[in-house]
Every structure is written in C-alpha cells, then in structure tokens.
C-alpha cells in the first residue's frame, strides 16, 4: 500500500450582503496561523445576475487578499531563516 503524504487544508468563505454591498471573508488555518482575507463589492442590486456577480467579485477579492497575506507571511519566514547565524559564525569561523 502506498503512503500518501498529501497535505490538506480548507479555506472557509463567508458572504454577507446588504442592499448595495457584499462582503466576503476567506479564513485559512495553516500550521499555527489563521489568516483572514476580506473583499467587498458594490453594485446595483436591481437584477439577480448583479447579485451573483457581486458575490463572485467579493470572494475573488477576499481570496486575493488572503493569498497576498500568505505570500507575505512566507516571505517573512524565509527572511527569518536566511538571517539565522550559521554554525561556523557561532563558532567564530573555526571548523
């Protein structure tokens, strides 16, 4: 039997609306961090298609915001790893 090393996580998306605005939140829990992306959209809610498009746009913006946060978090962690002193530096350059 093969061992599956696939990692799984989920993004929880919530959408709330009022007469002219839709707000979407996208929540991702990853390792010890929870990130929350937010997106909004405003359109005339006169017809059904506009409401659906408004939902899609708000969700897309929330996911984009979430992706940007995840990227920034990753880059910050990479910079932290790159700044750690090496073993030779801790030993004063001796081997």
């Amino acid at each position: 039997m093969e061992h599956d090393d696939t990692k799984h996580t989920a993004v929880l998306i919530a959408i709330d609306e009022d007469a002219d605005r839709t707000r979407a939140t996208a929540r991702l829990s990853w390792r010890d961090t929870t990130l929350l992306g937010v997106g909004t959209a405003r359109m005339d809610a006169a017809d059904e298609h506009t409401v659906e498009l408004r939902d899609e746009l708000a969700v897309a913006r929330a996911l984009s915001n979430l992706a940007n946060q995840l990227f920034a978090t990753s880059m910050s962690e990479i910079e932290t790893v790159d700044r750690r002193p090496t073993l030779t530096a801790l030993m004063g350059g001796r081997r």
Side-chain angles (χ1 to χ4, degrees), residues 15 17 30 40 45 53 55 57 59:
I15 302 169
E17 303 172 335
W30 183 257
T40 60
L53 291 173
D55 289 353
L57 183 57
V59 169

Side-chain angles (χ1 to χ4, degrees), residues 48-63:
E48 187 67 29
H49 297 295
T50 300
V51 174
E52 291 173 9
L53 291 173
R54 201 169 65 178
D55 289 353
E56 289 176 13
L57 183 57
V59 169
R61 287 177 173 164
L63 289 170

